[in-house]
Amino acid sequence: MATVAELKAVLKDTLEKRGALGQIKARIRAEVFNALDDQSEPRPPLSHENLLINELIREYLEYNKYKYAASVLTAGGKVHLKKREWRQSV
């Protein structure tokens, strides 16, 4: 019979191979940042230029397979533009 440590190791390896462990860590990170975010002070309105910059950063992260970093960025605020909006703004 396997020990608890062996079962943990197998589970961790399986989650890493499937990419789920990174997603879970990114989601936890995003939730921690959301919990620490001061909601009493509203964010300034996001200019169109900054929205485009954020979208470029998100596309760069996704293109280079930094899915988890992109998910944290997306969770942090309004980032994702629709394809039509993106084409019209460039």
Side-chain angles (χ1 to χ4, degrees):
M1 188 144 160
T3 66
V4 173
E6 291 170 335
L7 291 174
K8 279 181 164 179
V10 169
L11 181 59
K12 183 179 176 186
D13 289 342
T14 303
L15 291 174
E16 283 177 345
K17 287 177 185 173
R18 292 183 181 177
L21 189 59
Q23 290 175 338
I24 292 167
K25 287 179 179 180
R27 183 67 186 164
I28 290 171
R29 230 177 271 119
E31 290 299 328
V32 168
F33 285 124
N34 284 337
L36 295 175
D37 193 16
D38 186 6
Q39 298 295 327
S40 65
E41 187 176 322
R43 292 183 184 193
L46 192 60
S47 71
H48 189 68
E49 291 81 11
N50 284 354
L51 185 61
L52 287 174
I53 291 168
N54 289 350
E55 181 65 16
L56 285 170
I57 292 169
R58 186 194 61 78
E59 281 193 8
Y60 165 82
L61 292 170
E62 288 182 357
Y63 177 81
N64 288 291
K65 307 291 187 237
Y66 298 129
K67 296 183 289 188
Y68 315 122
S71 71
V72 172
L73 174 67
T74 304
K78 183 179 176 184
V79 176
H80 198 61
L81 285 176
K82 294 177 184 155
K83 295 272 186 208
R84 184 188 314 152
E85 291 173 344
W86 174 246
R87 288 188 190 121
Q88 288 175 348
S89 60
V90 188

